[in-house]
Amino acid sequence: MKKKFSLIAMAGAALLLLTACGTTAVTSSSTNLWDQIVYGFAQVIRFLSFGGLTGVGIILFTIVIRAALLPLMNIQIKSSQRMQEIQPEIKKIQAKYPSKDMESRRLMNEEIQKLYAENKVNPYMGCLPLVVQMPVLWALYQALSRVDFLKHGTFLWFEIGAKDPTFILPILAAVFTFLSSYLMMKSAPERNAMTTSMTTSMTYIMPIFILIMGVNFAAGIALYWVISNAFQVFQTMLLANPYKIIAAREAKVQVEKDKIKAREKALKKARKK
């Protein structure tokens, strides 16, 4: 799990390093590769801004990005589901090696990696969509802060390039972030201490982080988070509805119980004869 966070942190650091010097205005004449990408994003948003409404452009742009990532997100969801299903087996392996010495840790990790391979689970897959979205998010942020025709756009009650004065967008972004994490974690059949810690972090800390960032960032960024995480909630309910998963798991358990009862009943009848 620590490696996952390290991967995300490294990607974020690399992205910030790439864009650290980018503070000047971006125009069609900009020659820097990153500036050209930022300007390209701005042009796409302007093209999608029907009626000259930049907010509409950001909403449609976000939906396009999320739709493009849908195959990747579907792979991530399936990988997360398989990861959840093998948690009981991982717990057994961890109980098998209670010692903290290097050899026990090595043997435990080998068995866990073997379990991953047998079940076709990639523990890093959960990070990939987030890592892929980071350059998109930062390019959008730079487009809103460095491209003149986006900086001064307005939508509903807020200016795209300024902070939301009502805090409605940051609050909605935090709520949808919470719901997306909650729904993803709800169907987990069993959690060990590490998984529980990760669940708490993702479900409660991330929304707070998004709320703080949304309050301090341009309203256009908060709008992106609202639409992106609302899309994530819709996607989860469509592709990995936790309530359906739980119902199917409970039905499977009930079938097994019924089989055991039927077997016991048959044995009782056989003994009477």
Side-chain angles (χ1 to χ4, degrees), residues 5-41:
F5 286 119
S6 297
L7 181 63
I8 295 172
M10 287 173 63
L15 184 60
L16 288 173
L17 181 63
L18 174 66
T19 60
C21 298
T23 56
T24 57
V26 173
T27 67
S28 58
S29 303
S30 299
T31 57
N32 180 278
L33 176 60
W34 176 255
D35 288 352
Q36 290 177 359
I37 293 172
V38 169
Y39 192 76
F41 272 47

Side-chain angles (χ1 to χ4, degrees), residues 205-224:
I205 298 177
M206 275 302 292
I208 295 172
F209 174 76
I210 291 295
L211 176 63
I212 294 171
M213 297 294 283
V215 167
N216 290 283
F217 275 34
I221 296 294
L223 179 62
Y224 172 86

Side-chain angles (χ1 to χ4, degrees), residues 3 93 107-119 121 123-124:
K3 290 182 179 180
I93 293 172
L107 292 172
M108 182 186 72
N109 288 332
E110 284 181 0
E111 286 200 34
I112 290 177
Q113 291 301 322
K114 184 179 178 181
L115 183 66
Y116 286 159
E118 290 172 350
N119 290 273
V121 171
Y124 298 103

Side-chain angles (χ1 to χ4, degrees), residues 80-95 185-196 199 246 249:
S80 296
Q81 287 176 335
R82 287 195 292 267
M83 190 77 173
Q84 290 171 357
E85 295 298 333
I86 65 173
Q87 282 303 313
E89 296 301 319
I90 292 177
K91 197 170 183 179
K92 288 178 183 178
I93 293 172
Q94 291 172 337
M185 300 299 180
K186 185 174 178 60
S187 60
E190 187 174 347
R191 300 183 180 94
N192 54 35
M194 184 178 294
T195 307
T196 301
T199 302
I246 291 170
R249 187 181 297 131

Side-chain angles (χ1 to χ4, degrees), residues 2 26 70 79 85 89 126 132 211 216 231 242 244:
K2 289 181 179 179
V26 173
L70 196 57
S79 179
E85 295 298 333
E89 296 301 319
V132 171
L211 176 63
N216 290 283
F231 191 100
K244 289 183 178 179

